[in-house]
C-alpha cells in the first residue's frame, strides 16, 4: 500500500507539518467532512498533475488519460463551491506553522501551487498504474464521493503503516497526517 495512490499521497503531503507534528504526542486528524472539503478543492490540481506525470508511464487509452480535460473541468466546478470551507480548514490546520496568521483565501493558492511538485515526487510507473486503475473506477462519481473514497483509502493505508512498524528513519512528512477514524453512514432517501 506504500504507493497506493499518488494523488492521495499528495493530498496528505499538503496537510502535513514537516517535523512539528512528529513531536506532538497525539497525531492530529481531519474529520471525514474536513478532508472531503480539502480534497474536493485539490482534486482538479491532483487530476491535472497525475495526468501530466503519468503520460510517460501509461498507454494513451488509459482511463486516467482519457477525457482528462473534461474531468478536470468537472472537478473544478465542484472545487469552487468548497473553496471557502477548505481554506478555513487549512488555515486552522497550518496556523501554528505560519510565521504570521494567514487567511484561508491566502493559504489555499499556496497549497494548490505546492501539490504538483509534491505529486511529481511520488510518481513512478507502479504508482501510475495503481492511480489509473483506481481513478478509472471512481471517475464517474461526483467529486465529493471521490474525495470520500480517497479519505477511506488513506485511513486504511494509515492502519497498514501502523501495523508495518515502519522505521522512523524512513518516515516522510505525510506520515504525520491522519484522517480521523469514522464510520460511513447512508442517507435515507427522501429525507
Amino acid at each position: 500500500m506504500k504507493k497506493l495512490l499518488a494523488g492521495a499521497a499528495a493530498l496528505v503531503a499538503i496537510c502535513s507539518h514537516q517535523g512539528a507534528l512528529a513531536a506532538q504526542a497525539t497525531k492530529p486528524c481531519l474529520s471525514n467532512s474536513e478532508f472531503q472539503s480539502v480534497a474536493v478543492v485539490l482534486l482538479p490540481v491532483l487530476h491535472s498533475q497525475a495526468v501530466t506525470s503519468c503520460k510517460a508511464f501509461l498507454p494513451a487509452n488509459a482511463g486516467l488519460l482519457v477525457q482528462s480535460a473534461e474531468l478536470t473541468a468537472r472537478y473544478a466546478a465542484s472545487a469552487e463551491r468548497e473553496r471557502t470551507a477548505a481554506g478555513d480548514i487549512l488555515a486552522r490546520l497550518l496556523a501554528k506553522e505560519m510565521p504570521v496568521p494567514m487567511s484561508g483565501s491566502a493559504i489555499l493558492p499556496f497549497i494548490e501551487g505546492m501539490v504538483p511538485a509534491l505529486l511529481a515526487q511520488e510518481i513512478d510507473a507502479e504508482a501510475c498504474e495503481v492511480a489509473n486503475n483506481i481513478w478509472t473506477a471512481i471517475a464517474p462519481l461526483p467529486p465529493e464521493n471521490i474525495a470520500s473514497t480517497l479519505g477511506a483509502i488513506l485511513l486504511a493505508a494509515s492502519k497498514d503503516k501502523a501495523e508495518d512498524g515502519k522505521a522512523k528513519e524512513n518516515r516522510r512528512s505525510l506520515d504525520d497526517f491522519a484522517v480521523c477514524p469514522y464510520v460511513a453512514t447512508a442517507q435515507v432517501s427522501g429525507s
Side-chain angles (χ1 to χ4, degrees):
M1 282 234 165
K2 183 177 168 187
K3 293 182 179 179
L4 179 62
L5 184 60
L11 277 175
V12 177
I14 59 92
C15 295
S16 64
H17 311 289
Q18 303 182 3
L21 292 181
Q24 294 179 1
T26 57
K27 185 163 55 169
C29 60
L30 288 177
S31 70
N32 182 45
S33 63
E34 290 173 326
F35 179 83
Q36 183 176 320
S37 288
V38 173
V40 165
V41 168
L42 295 176
L43 205 52
V45 178
L46 284 170
H47 183 261
S48 179
Q49 185 59 43
V51 167
T52 299
S53 295
C54 288
K55 280 182 181 178
F57 301 110
L58 297 172
N61 65 346
L64 180 64
L65 306 180
V66 176
Q67 298 179 336
S68 59
E70 292 86 357
L71 284 175
T72 300
R74 183 166 60 95
Y75 300 152
S78 290
E80 272 310 305
R81 293 190 297 268
E82 292 290 330
R83 287 191 73 75
T84 301
D88 292 346
I89 292 163
L90 289 170
R92 180 180 44 84
L93 191 66
L94 299 171
K96 293 181 181 178
E97 306 305 316
M98 296 295 172
V100 294
M102 291 180 73
S103 69
S105 61
I107 289 175
L108 200 51
F110 174 72
I111 298 297
E112 289 171 316
M114 288 175 43
V115 169
L118 292 169
L119 183 58
Q121 292 173 2
E122 299 290 326
I123 294 288
D124 61 13
E126 182 184 353
C128 284
E129 183 180 310
V130 172
N132 176 68
N133 294 345
I134 292 172
W135 212 298
T136 300
I138 64 176
L141 296 173
E144 295 77 10
N145 291 83
I146 293 171
S148 289
T149 301
L150 293 176
I153 290 169
L154 288 173
L155 185 57
S158 69
K159 289 179 182 180
D160 285 349
K161 282 183 208 171
E163 291 171 7
D164 285 347
K166 193 174 187 180
K168 282 197 178 255
E169 62 270 5
N170 292 332
R171 292 179 62 81
R172 298 171 299 175
S173 60
L174 61 89
D175 293 328
D176 293 322
F177 171 81
V179 175
C180 301
Y182 69 97
V183 174
T185 57
Q187 295 184 12
V188 179
S189 63
S191 55

